[in-house]
Amino acid sequence: MATAGLDPLLRLRQSIAANDPPFTTTSPDPTPASDATENLATATHLQFDNPQQSYSLDTPTRFVSSDRAVDLRSIWFAWQKKDVAIPDYIASAQQLNEEFAAAHSTSKVQNLVFVERLDLITWLEGASEESEYIKGLEGDASATRSAQVASGAAGGVSTIPSSAAGVRTGKTIDPRLQEIYNGERRMGDRNSVLRGIKPTDFSHVRKLAETFLSRSRPSKPHSTTATSTTHPSSSQTSNLVSLPKQAKNHPSRRPDPIILLSPSASSLLRLSNIKSFLSDGIYMPPHTSTTAANILHISRLLPGIDPHRPLRFILVDTPEQFKPDYWGRVVAVFTTGQTWQFKGYKWQHPPDLFKEVLGVYVGWRGEDVPPAVRGWGRGVVSAAVEKWNPGQGPQGRWRDREVVEGIWTRIEEWMRGKGWGKEGGMIAR
């Protein structure tokens, strides 16, 4: 089946939602069963069913990494490896690229960093309706087609001489019928009527509306109490006009704050049990969970930052895949007091680190806080939980909720102090 015009990323997301994933083949029109293969080193196309479509694995997609479109092969590879750890994902990509090189193929799998990979998987699963790495579709194809019909560029009824019409239809048209055709008026559909035959920029309307809206908002009280009835000064007018430009500088999507955990085996909180602790307010020992995830995200409503929308926090235990700007999104670091944890950090000296981010130490109730943690100053908050009692299980963990709420309160206070707000507010560091 030849490739249709549907966007390959959107087609992949639809097939995943319908629980009808595609499969890789060695032919654009696979007829025998032998054409199907699970080896990406030999596969050339991605085949969909219901309806049948085939895309070349070299097809560029709307997903952009480092200002470059990622091909369909790399997208499908990332989806196949969505449940594996980052080192395994990187090793698999290197092994596959070595197979391509051995076969003298120009194909290559692009290795996505962990935030890009997480964003892609979240979008493909349908958990998110937007992605900062996926470009929007260029336009509605049906609307473009209708506009062409309305302008006479394509489709519709021709008003050219009958000889040309005969070429289009493959036969000679009756002169009386051609006269009727010549009297017809070209018409489009609702898309061409509403959208016109060319794109129209209405951004000036939005800017004008923003000017009026800014006037209706309550202004901050001034130090003077004069009640002058004169018109606004020229400087005030220029401020009103410049507000839309300032609003335009804000990002369209709020960045997700990042929490770093300790990878130490002695840590009470690891990726296997941090979600039950911070989300449910219940401490469970790390060994009670069998999850192998290396990236988690949890949502939490922080009224002091945004009382209406929960913030989504990304939780990882290593910064090895960080880009430089990701450090500006780190809001907390959970530590055990072991300094080797900070070896790959931007700030490797603990006093410098905890001037930039909030430190959190969680230990057993009744045990002393390590001297190293106490020596790091007020930038580290200490909390204590009751020791795990297998006989009581989760039912006896009613005091954990108070500890968790205290940690979230300190994180919220720290974020507000650093300028986080409804639209993000991360600072460059």
Side-chain angles (χ1 to χ4, degrees), residues 11 33 103 111 122 127 164 182 224-225 257 275 285 304 318 338 370:
R11 185 71 176 91
N111 182 19
T122 303
N182 293 337
T224 60
T225 57
K275 192 166 187 178
T318 175
Q338 298 166 300

Side-chain angles (χ1 to χ4, degrees), residues 22-23 31 38 55 62 75 85 110 123 129 162 195 203 205 236 262 274 278 299 332 354 358 398 406 409 423:
F23 57 92
T31 48
E38 295 183 357
Y55 295 92
R62 293 183 291 119
I75 297 294
Q110 184 172 346
W123 186 84
E129 294 300 325
S162 59
R195 302 191 182 203
S203 60
V205 179
Q236 292 173 331
S262 172
I274 188 66
L278 291 181
S299 295
F354 296 119
L358 177 68
W398 56 273
T409 299
E423 302 302 327

Side-chain angles (χ1 to χ4, degrees), residues 238-258:
S238 63
N239 289 337
L240 292 176
V241 176
S242 65
L243 280 177
K245 297 180 181 179
Q246 295 172 1
K248 190 174 181 180
N249 292 332
H250 291 293
S252 59
R253 179 180 177 185
R254 179 171 61 189
D256 296 333
I258 300 173

Side-chain angles (χ1 to χ4, degrees), residues 23 33 82 105 112-113 120 143 168 230 237 286 334 359 393 420 424 426:
F23 57 92
K82 64 184 179 68
S105 172
L112 304 179
V113 298
L120 172 65
R168 180 174 61 85
T230 58
T237 305
F334 281 73
W420 283 79
M426 65 176 181

Side-chain angles (χ1 to χ4, degrees), residues 327-397:
W327 285 106
R329 294 159 55 181
V330 177
V331 297
V333 173
F334 281 73
T335 180
T336 60
Q338 298 166 300
T339 55
W340 61 262
Q341 173 187 347
F342 315 128
K343 184 177 180 180
Y345 285 24
K346 180 179 180 180
W347 306 280
Q348 300 184 11
H349 190 49
D352 297 335
L353 171 65
F354 296 119
K355 288 180 182 178
E356 303 293 339
V357 300
L358 177 68
V360 181
Y361 170 79
V362 178
W364 294 124
R365 189 179 301 275
E367 295 185 358
D368 294 335
V369 178
V373 175
R374 292 199 306 269
W376 293 339
R378 294 181 299 174
V380 181
V381 56
S382 298
V385 296
E386 299 287 346
K387 290 189 177 182
W388 175 257
N389 187 339
Q392 292 181 349
Q395 291 76 16
R397 308 300 304 182

Side-chain angles (χ1 to χ4, degrees), residues 21-190:
F23 57 92
T24 50
T25 66
T26 57
S27 169
D29 298 303
T31 48
S34 59
D35 288 343
T37 179
E38 295 183 357
N39 187 3
L40 273 180
T42 59
T44 59
H45 289 75
L46 192 63
Q47 177 71 26
F48 293 86
D49 292 329
N50 301 319
Q52 288 191 351
Q53 282 181 301
S54 179
Y55 295 92
S56 171
L57 290 175
D58 295 323
T59 303
T61 67
R62 293 183 291 119
F63 194 91
V64 178
S65 174
S66 302
D67 298 327
R68 187 178 66 177
V70 180
D71 59 15
L72 188 58
R73 176 182 286 103
S74 301
I75 297 294
W76 177 244
F77 178 77
W79 172 254
Q80 286 185 314
K81 303 296 182 181
K82 64 184 179 68
D83 295 323
V84 304
I86 290 179
D88 296 336
Y89 167 71
I90 296 175
S92 299
Q94 292 177 346
Q95 180 181 357
L96 186 56
N97 288 332
E98 290 174 358
E99 294 182 23
F100 283 133
H104 304 287
S105 172
T106 58
S107 301
K108 186 178 180 181
V109 168
Q110 184 172 346
N111 182 19
L112 304 179
V113 298
F114 85 101
V115 174
E116 295 173 341
R117 180 174 163 226
L118 173 63
D119 200 82
L120 172 65
I121 293 172
T122 303
W123 186 84
L124 288 176
E125 290 176 337
S128 174
E129 294 300 325
E130 59 180 6
S131 170
E132 59 181 303
Y133 301 101
I134 298 179
K135 291 184 177 180
L137 294 172
E138 294 184 356
D140 187 352
S142 61
T144 305
R145 175 66 179 173
S146 301
Q148 292 175 344
V149 172
S151 63
V157 179
S158 174
T159 59
I160 58 178
S162 59
S163 59
V167 173
R168 180 174 61 85
T169 59
K171 64 179 180 179
T172 303
I173 300 179
D174 185 273
R176 291 173 297 178
L177 184 59
Q178 181 63 45
E179 185 178 355
I180 296 174
Y181 284 164
N182 293 337
E184 289 183 347
R185 183 179 61 177
R186 300 188 190 96
M187 298 186 66
D189 57 11
R190 62 181 181 86

Side-chain angles (χ1 to χ4, degrees), residues 236-311:
Q236 292 173 331
T237 305
S238 63
N239 289 337
L240 292 176
V241 176
S242 65
L243 280 177
K245 297 180 181 179
Q246 295 172 1
K248 190 174 181 180
N249 292 332
H250 291 293
S252 59
R253 179 180 177 185
R254 179 171 61 189
D256 296 333
I258 300 173
I259 295 178
L260 276 168
L261 304 178
S262 172
S264 174
S266 62
S267 176
L268 300 186
L269 294 172
R270 304 180 66 182
L271 282 173
S272 57
N273 66 339
I274 188 66
K275 192 166 187 178
S276 64
F277 184 69
L278 291 181
S279 294
D280 305 329
I282 299 176
Y283 175 79
M284 303 283 289
H287 62 80
T288 59
S289 176
T290 58
T291 178
N294 51 18
I295 301 174
L296 296 175
H297 64 269
I298 61 176
S299 295
R300 172 80 181 191
L301 184 66
L302 301 181
I305 296 177
D306 190 341
H308 305 293
R309 279 193 305 166
L311 280 83

Side-chain angles (χ1 to χ4, degrees), residues 194-195 198-208:
L194 294 176
R195 302 191 182 203
K198 61 181 181 180
T200 304
D201 184 12
F202 289 101
S203 60
H204 66 284
V205 179
R206 176 174 53 81
K207 295 179 180 179
L208 183 63

